Amino acid sequence: MTTHVLISGASGFIAAHTVAALLAAGHTVTGTVRRPDDSQSTAHLRALPGAERLRLVAADLEDPSAFDAHVADVDHVIHMASPFRMDVADARRDLLEPAVAGTHAMLRACARAPRVQRVVLTSSMAAVTDEPDTSHVLTEDDWNVRSSLTRNPYYYSKAEAERAAWRFVEQERPRWDLVAINPFIVVGPSLSGTISESNKLLVDLMNGAYPAVMALTWGFVDVRDVAAAHVRALTAPAANGRYLCVAGNRSMREVVALLRASGYAHTRLPRRGLDSALGNHLARLAAFTQPRGVASYLRTHLGRVPRYDCAKIMRDLDLAFRDVDQSLLETAADLVRHGHVAPAPRAA
């Protein structure tokens, strides 16, 4: 069944892949962007197969009525637009307020729209946990209750935006239902060629931003699987509540070893090892010299190994995840292709 879908923040990394998946499935799509007439920032969307069924419209997260005019004739909504930056000058102004206000604006508009049947919210594992407990297996019942405007403020903005969405549904009881997708670190090829905040992790690893291998373990998921999860959640009869969306863990040491063995030894991958008890102590001390967002992240994640159960998303949405290593290597190749990482030197 094909429908008319509104997706906010359509030019973003995950959103662009979701637009592509929606068009490939035959849906008609309205995408909100800040400047629809900016040909440079929207060219990757207009070049998609099926783009004759794509309409781009202007919307600003901080405008309370930003989405009112765009939801009247749509069947489903995917709300993806939200600030994603680890370091900001003012966490309340730059992260929390636009994330929560944008969510409220979208849900209020949907509540007044006659045709909307389901809203899918792009949340994050940041709304599930702030400091992973290695002894605890995370599920959809877990919530991040530790972040604040000073401790992992981006995490706080995601948790508060999702909480606001569920409170709205509980209080207003709209005729449509809400589903939330909570991905971990999203990697994969970029349709626009720009560096997403999550792919920047690999850029930094290969371009020398990390002086040593640290005891960091990340949960990864391919952007194309995240897009598929959103599209399936729109119409899957069993879809309900929240969905953790993670393919698997890799430590920094494992990622570095994979890249070094796969043709990226020429890059500035870290060689020293600080992934030990002493290394964690030194890294935590060094974190105080970093920007506030980075420092907060390091202090809460060093030595932590996230554990999670993704059975619900695999069952309800019939989702199978791509292999993590393959996703990482395709991301690295894409970063080289777009000039964000130096290619291997040609043999003489």
Side-chain angles (χ1 to χ4, degrees):
M1 178 181 68
T2 58
T3 62
H4 186 179
V5 181
L6 173 73
I7 178 169
S8 65
S11 60
F13 175 49
I14 302 173
H17 278 277
T18 306
V19 171
L22 287 167
L23 294 174
H27 297 283
T28 298
V29 181
T30 295
T32 74
V33 294
R34 282 186 176 273
R35 295 178 296 277
D37 296 330
D38 183 348
S39 59
Q40 184 173 354
S41 65
T42 61
H44 61 297
L45 297 175
R46 300 185 189 280
L48 291 171
E52 65 275 6
R53 285 178 277 107
L54 170 65
R55 180 171 65 107
L56 298 178
V57 297
D60 186 332
L61 280 179
E62 299 184 45
D63 179 356
S65 61
F67 305 109
D68 288 2
H70 308 312
V71 297
D73 61 345
V74 303
D75 304 291
H76 303 291
V77 171
I78 300 176
H79 181 50
M80 285 192 167
S82 187
F84 185 3
R85 295 184 295 276
M86 294 301 290
D87 279 297
V88 293
D90 184 324
R92 180 179 295 279
R93 180 195 65 200
D94 300 331
L95 289 174
L96 179 64
E97 290 179 352
V100 174
T103 299
H104 274 147
M106 177 63 84
L107 297 186
R108 282 195 297 268
C110 290
R112 293 190 286 265
R115 284 174 48 180
V116 174
Q117 301 168 36
R118 178 170 290 167
V119 177
V120 177
L121 173 71
T122 308
S123 187
S124 170
M125 284 293 287
V128 177
T129 181
D130 163 283
E131 186 173 7
D133 181 350
T134 304
S135 67
H136 175 68
V137 177
L138 295 164
T139 72
E140 285 78 8
D141 292 330
D142 287 290
W143 279 91
N144 173 1
V145 296
R146 305 190 68 181
S147 294
S148 67
L149 288 172
T150 56
R151 173 189 166 111
N152 290 329
Y154 166 71
Y155 283 51
Y156 185 55
S157 73
K158 295 303 291 186
E160 289 301 293
E162 191 187 340
R163 282 193 182 93
W166 290 114
R167 280 196 299 268
F168 181 93
V169 170
E170 181 180 359
Q171 294 169 4
E172 302 297 327
R173 300 193 178 277
R175 61 188 165 278
W176 41 262
D177 57 347
L178 177 68
V179 174
I181 307 294
N182 298 75
F184 219 126
I185 296 177
V186 183
V187 295
S190 168
L191 293 180
S192 68
T194 58
I195 305 173
S196 69
E197 280 292 322
S198 47
N199 279 346
K200 187 175 182 293
L201 187 155
L202 292 188
V203 174
D204 288 346
L205 266 181
M206 291 192 282
N207 286 347
Y210 287 91
V213 173
M214 293 186 284
L216 290 172
T217 299
W218 302 296
F220 290 106
V221 61
D222 193 288
V223 65
R224 292 160 291 191
D225 293 338
V226 179
H230 282 79
V231 175
R232 295 181 186 196
L234 288 177
T235 56
N240 69 96
R242 312 170 83 201
Y243 287 99
L244 305 193
C245 189
V246 195
N249 282 354
R250 294 294 183 273
S251 67
M252 183 187 286
R253 181 168 290 279
E254 289 170 327
V255 175
V256 168
L258 172 69
L259 294 171
R260 183 168 286 122
S262 302
Y264 300 98
H266 67 282
T267 65
R268 298 168 62 193
L269 290 164
R271 294 184 177 276
R272 299 177 187 170
L274 277 180
D275 47 346
S276 62
L278 176 60
N280 288 346
H281 177 68
L282 295 174
R284 287 191 180 95
L285 291 176
F288 288 99
T289 67
Q290 300 297 311
R292 182 183 300 174
V294 174
S296 182
Y297 175 82
L298 289 175
R299 289 195 296 270
T300 54
H301 285 74
L302 280 166
R304 302 278 178 166
V305 178
R307 300 173 64 202
Y308 36 79
D309 181 354
C310 289
K312 186 186 178 200
I313 197 170
M314 297 171 72
R315 180 189 66 243
D316 289 0
L317 304 187
D318 192 26
L319 186 69
F321 291 108
R322 285 170 169 81
D323 176 73
V324 171
D325 288 352
Q326 186 61 36
S327 294
L328 290 170
L329 292 178
E330 289 183 26
T331 305
D334 190 65
L335 292 170
V336 170
R337 182 165 53 251
H338 290 295
H340 304 305
V341 173
R346 295 183 179 181

